[in-house]
Amino acid sequence: MTENTLQVKGKWELEMNIIMEDKNWEEVCLSCHKGINSHLWKEFDWKITMRFFRTPLIVSGFAKGTTSALCWRKCGMTGDYSHIFWDCQVLQVFWQDIKKEIGKILKIDIPLDPVFFFLLGEIHQDVLGKDQRYILRILLLVARKMITINWMKAFPPTQTQWTQRLKQVYIMEYMTAKLQMKMDTFVQR
């Protein structure tokens, strides 16, 4: 781990009011390069983890006095990273819908917890197997992507948007498996 990633870890810990072991942080960073086949999706995962996107709080620091640090969803709270992606009350219905759908798909009740949903807290192999963890990574990655697609909009993404994007990812993963002659693995998952 580099000093830069440890600084990012510190920002997550401060905003989410958590303490993450360096080993767990390293797993979070390494997991950005696993799972989905698309390099664009891997890059997106890395950007989310490394806090690439500019929140109202960050933008207000650049343009002092001209922009507000408050959330653009009009909830009245400071728009820091964890708020924009998780804590905002406007997003809670979206995250509850995603939790419910993941429960149906994987037949498991996962905690509605930002560390789990956002930083992909690990689920031990005795709870979910390797293939189920692969599916879970994709489901959560697409959920986070939907938030960036609705960036700077007052309304949250919807479960329908999430489902439509999942279909696109499915097609991409299917075509990649076919091209790489790994259809057996794809069908198994």
Side-chain angles (χ1 to χ4, degrees):
M1 282 188 300
T2 67
E3 186 176 321
N4 289 340
T5 62
L6 290 175
Q7 288 176 349
V8 172
K9 173 185 169 264
K11 290 179 182 180
W12 280 118
E13 289 175 327
L14 183 64
E15 281 186 18
M16 294 182 147
N17 196 25
I18 61 170
I19 295 175
M20 188 181 306
E21 293 182 30
D22 287 349
K23 179 185 172 212
N24 292 349
W25 176 248
E26 188 173 355
E27 288 175 16
V28 167
C29 292
L30 291 174
S31 71
C32 295
H33 306 290
K34 297 178 184 175
I36 200 159
N37 288 309
S38 166
H39 292 292
L40 289 174
W41 280 94
K42 289 177 183 179
E43 179 183 356
F44 171 76
D45 198 6
W46 182 253
K47 285 179 175 180
I48 288 277
T49 304
M50 293 297 123
R51 303 167 66 96
F52 174 82
F53 296 95
R54 300 297 172 231
T55 64
L57 182 63
I58 293 170
V59 173
S60 71
F62 295 145
K64 294 184 192 264
T66 60
T67 60
S68 172
L70 297 179
C71 176
W72 54 66
R73 296 187 192 106
K74 311 288 187 221
C75 67
M77 302 299 290
T78 300
D80 63 13
Y81 227 77
S82 60
H83 178 82
I84 291 296
F85 281 97
W86 181 262
D87 293 331
C88 182
Q89 285 300 316
V90 177
L91 276 180
Q92 291 310 299
V93 171
F94 173 71
W95 282 119
Q96 289 168 2
D97 288 346
I98 299 305
K99 176 191 183 308
K100 187 169 101 181
E101 289 303 308
I102 288 173
K104 287 180 191 174
I105 293 166
L106 297 177
K107 311 232 183 317
I108 186 172
D109 184 31
I110 56 176
L112 195 58
D113 174 5
V115 174
F116 177 80
F117 269 75
F118 199 75
L119 293 176
L120 288 180
E122 281 299 308
I123 291 184
H124 298 287
Q125 290 182 358
D126 57 336
V127 177
L128 285 180
K130 180 180 177 183
D131 293 335
Q132 287 180 310
R133 287 193 316 270
Y134 162 80
I135 298 295
L136 179 64
R137 282 197 53 73
I138 291 175
L139 297 173
L140 292 174
L141 184 60
V142 172
R144 292 190 308 269
K145 178 66 173 176
M146 298 319 303
I147 293 170
T148 63
I149 287 173
N150 285 15
W151 203 249
M152 296 183 66
K153 295 178 182 170
F155 53 88
T158 65
Q159 179 190 337
T160 302
Q161 289 173 313
W162 178 72
T163 303
Q164 290 169 345
R165 185 56 59 121
L166 279 175
K167 289 176 184 176
Q168 293 171 356
V169 170
Y170 175 84
I171 291 168
M172 183 230 12
E173 290 289 295
Y174 175 84
M175 291 182 349
T176 302
K178 202 149 176 87
L179 288 170
Q180 293 178 349
M181 292 187 254
K182 295 181 179 178
M183 285 303 292
D184 292 342
T185 303
F186 179 82
V187 170
Q188 179 183 347
R189 290 180 169 160

